[in-house]
């Protein structure tokens, strides 16, 4: 591996490959957006490319990641869970970052870019609220104005994060249109941006959207995979057999995969299986989606026979999205990564299992990855395998919701 | 080149151009609305093919699109309906790229052409991603109208005006569709910049809501597109007669 570059205490690996052409990953990606936004995306692309190659920018980001966000995050060996499942389980602990999920990695990078481009206002969409909280946090830190768009359904089921965002000084807009979840929050953020683009940076929360977002957010998240790879080498003396992460838009997964693409590790993305694929109520856009164009990128989307986008369903707000980042669509097409669904119930079981065996309460999103492994250990994942799972966030935000679901009564 | 030829001829006759937007499938009488606006003096009609995620549209057209979808509107049905109207001005389909991509470029272009729809506007398909669709549209004889925005730099504006067919759609403000109290400050500059770049008809649209605003905007271009202000009337219980009355008002103001 190329020598790592030292920031404060964080190791930022070398930049990864740029997508080809206008943001193409195979036949996916691109820049399908209203004309008004084109100049801003070109500006962002140029700013990111230059900054990402500059030692000064990388040092500043590494310093923030270390001294503000709490990186590097550990890899935790799960002894009791491993015993239970018959596979050796390691967790990459993004839940331990400041604000409690991997979203902070990309937000700090984007906030630095926004400041550099002279943008005083940031907007973001959020599903689970983790990206909204991270953006509101960075805005507070940088003294920027912040507005977060969140589906009305998610405002309800992630009430704690709504309150946190407001505490941090952000304005939270409850989006009532369409399915009132993440997809619609992105629509409204884009509508705001079409009007505000000259003063505002749109801090997209995942590897979705028009070029350069899928590339840029992957690069900001690759710290997860780069760290994990080095940590696995220390712990295992080599690469794990299987690398697993949950996939909403796909940012924690692509950041993790980026560290292992050139190894022999199997890469597994776990999608929202919702109530089961047959029910039609799910967010399995790779398993069940078809090529289409939404939110600026050609990728795989859940759609009806006329090309209308379908509503997704997931118990976890962060996976409740009918699409996926274009690089995942490309990795699925080449077969370098594989994608499987885990249902709402399997996620809830994973949530409980990790809490009970390891004393770690995961967010419902990565609980899908735990649930998938619990299902597949001894099957698709042979006994004795070494498995790295990215624990993309912690479960505080979901505790009240899961409690109510399990007991049938709200926490008073 | 029916759309562009037609608009050029009307412009040559000294007429400010007026293109109302009507959401396809918005109620069973939507074709009567199309006939009414033509009768009231429209020079072409933009037919919205409703899409589930219309990111260039504000609340009014979002609501109209959703209502039409709930009433069973599909791209194929709207296009088949449009084939039924016998009007003496061109029709232009306005939709988003996904339904086109989903149907397939050739198939979609052919379905428009077969229905007698002369042009297409796809606001989320910018110049850089245009070719696969526009080539198919060109071959089918469908004129692809491109949008220029106030943020578009001059060299790019030139390329957009050169590649556009039918007319050039100058976006009259920074933002999405919807009624506005005042004409945006960007509108006139947008019109002037497009006019300086091309001899093709230039229409300003987005946010143009009243006869006064239409007159001012048309002064800097060849005409205007009026959408939300008309659709709001239909959403609030109005029918073909109300559409006729409103477009008559716009026409009279423009011709005064
Ligand atoms: C903890 C956590 N994990 C995962 C996700 C899904 O996003 P992505 O697929 O981009 O990692 C979210 C999104 O809200 C999240 O909060």
């Amino acid at each position: 591996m190329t020598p790592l570059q030292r920031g404060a205490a964080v190791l930022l690996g070398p930049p990864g490959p740029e997508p080809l052409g206008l943001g193409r990953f195979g036949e996916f990606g691109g820049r399908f957006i209203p004309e008004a936004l084109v100049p801003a995306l070109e500006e962002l692309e140029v700013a990111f490319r230059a900054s990402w190659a500059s030692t000064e920018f990388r040092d500043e980001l590494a310093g923030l990641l270390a001294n503000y966000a709490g990186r590097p995050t550990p890899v935790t060996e799960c002894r009791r869970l491993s015993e239970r499942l018959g596979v050796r389980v390691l967790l990459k602990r993004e839940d331990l970052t400041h604000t409690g999920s991997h979203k902070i990695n990309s937000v700090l990078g984007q906030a630095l870019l926004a400041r550099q481009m002279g943008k005083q206002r940031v907007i973001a969409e959020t599903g689970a609220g983790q990206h909204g909280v991270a953006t509101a946090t960075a805005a507070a830190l940088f003294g920027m104005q912040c507005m977060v768009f969140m589906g009305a359904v998610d405002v309800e089921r992630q009430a704690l994060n709504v309150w946190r965002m407001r505490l941090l000084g952000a304005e939270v807009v409850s989006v009532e249109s369409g399915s009132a979840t993440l997809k619609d929050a992105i629509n409204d953020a884009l509508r705001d941006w079409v009007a505000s683009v000259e003063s505002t940076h749109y801090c997209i929360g995942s590897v979705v959207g028009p070029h350069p977002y899928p590339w840029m957010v992957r690069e900001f998240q690759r710290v997860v995979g780069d760290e994990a790879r080095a940590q696995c080498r220390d712990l295992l003396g080599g690469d794990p057999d299987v690398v697993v992460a949950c996939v909403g838009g796909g940012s924690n997964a692509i950041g993790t995969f980026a560290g292992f693409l050139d190894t022999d590790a199997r890469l597994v993305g776990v999608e929202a299986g919702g109530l089961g694929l047959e029910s039609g109520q799910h967010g399995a856009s790779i398993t069940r989606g078809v090529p289409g164009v939404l939110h600026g990128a050609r990728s795989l989307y859940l759609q009806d026979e006329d090309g209308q986008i379908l509503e997704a369903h997931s118990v976890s707000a962060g996976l409740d999205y009918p699409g996926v980042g274009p690089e995942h669509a490309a990795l699925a097409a080449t077969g370098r990564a594989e994608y499987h669904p885990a249902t709402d119930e399997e996620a809830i079981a994973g949530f409980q299992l990790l809490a009970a065996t390891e004393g770690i309460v995961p967010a419902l999103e990565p609980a899908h990855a735990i649930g998938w492994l619990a299902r597949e250990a001894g099957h698709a994942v042979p006994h004795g395998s070494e498995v790295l799972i990215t624990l993309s966030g912690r479960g505080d935000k979901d505790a009240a919701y899961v409690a109510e679901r399990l007991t049938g009564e709200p926490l008073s | 080149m029916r759309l562009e030829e037609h608009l050029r001829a009307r412009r040559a006759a000294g007429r400010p151009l007026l293109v109302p937007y009507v959401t396809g499938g918005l109620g069973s009488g939507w074709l009567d609305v199309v006939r009414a606006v033509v009768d009231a003096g429209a020079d072409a009609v933009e037919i919205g093919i409703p899409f589930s995620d219309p990111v260039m549209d504000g609340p009014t057209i979002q609501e109209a699109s959703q209502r039409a979808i709930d009433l069973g509107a599909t791209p194929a049905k709207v296009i088949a309906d449009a084939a039924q109207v016998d009007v003496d001005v061109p029709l232009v389909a306005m939709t988003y790229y996904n339904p086109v991509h989903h149907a397939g470029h050739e198939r979609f272009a052919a379905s428009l052409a077969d229905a007698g729809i002369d042009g297409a506007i796809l606001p989320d398909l910018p110049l850089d991603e245009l070719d696969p669709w526009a080539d198919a549209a060109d071959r089918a004889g469908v004129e692809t109208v491109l949008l220029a925005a106030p943020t578009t730099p001059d060299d790019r504006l030139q390329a957009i005006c050169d590649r556009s067919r039918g007319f050039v759609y100058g976006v009259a403000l920074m933002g999405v569709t919807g009624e506005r109290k005042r004409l945006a400050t960007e509108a006139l500059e947008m019109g002037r910049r497009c006019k300086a770049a091309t001899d093709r008809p230039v229409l300003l649209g987005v946010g143009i809501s009243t006869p006064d605003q239409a007159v001012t905007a048309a002064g800097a271009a060849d005409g205007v597109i009026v959408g939300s202000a008309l659709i709001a009337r239909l959403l609030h219980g109005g029918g073909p007669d109300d559409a006729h009355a409103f477009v008559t008002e716009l026409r009279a103001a423009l011709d005064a």
Side-chain angles (χ1 to χ4, degrees), chain A residues 22 24 29-39 42 177-178 183-184 186-188 190-198 290-295 298 301 303-310, chain B residues 50-58 62 66 69 73-76 97-103 107 123-129 147-153 156-157 160 173-176 186:
Chain A
L22 196 59
R24 287 306 196 276
R31 186 180 280 163
F32 298 86
I33 31 78
E35 172 63 24
L37 298 178
V38 169
E42 288 175 346
S177 61
K183 158 179 93 80
D184 311 284
I186 297 178
N187 288 342
D188 267 15
L190 284 168
R191 290 179 184 121
D192 179 292
W193 206 34
V194 167
S196 65
V197 62
E198 284 157 304
V290 294
V293 173
L294 184 73
H295 297 152
R298 184 169 196 276
Y301 298 97
Q303 326 172 34
D304 71 10
E305 64 279 9
D306 297 313
Q308 308 289 8
I309 305 299
L310 297 173
Chain B
F51 176 53
S52 54
D53 295 82
V55 293
M56 258 306 280
D57 287 305
Q62 283 176 48
Q66 192 55 52
I69 290 171
T74 65
Y97 183 47
N98 197 55
V100 176
H101 179 276
H102 192 85
R107 197 151 78 91
D124 59 346
L125 189 65
L127 186 64
D128 326 80
E129 300 283 4
L147 294 89
T151 47
T152 307
R156 188 174 164 90
L157 184 74
I160 287 171
L173 51 73
M174 286 302 291
V176 295
E186 302 96 317

Side-chain angles (χ1 to χ4, degrees), chain A residues 320-334:
Chain A
D320 200 346
Y321 181 63
V324 68
E327 193 168 5
H328 285 293
L331 288 172
T334 61

Side-chain angles (χ1 to χ4, degrees), chain A residues 2 22 36 45 83 92-93 114 125 135 138 152 159 182 202 246 257 260 276-277 279 333 362 399 406-407 410 412:
Chain A
T2 337
L22 196 59
E45 178 187 342
E83 216 165 278
K92 176 61 175 165
R93 300 291 305 278
E125 83 293 344
T135 306
L182 185 53
Y202 180 12
C246 67
F257 293 177
F260 296 92
L277 296 190
S279 72
L406 292 175
T407 64
S412 57

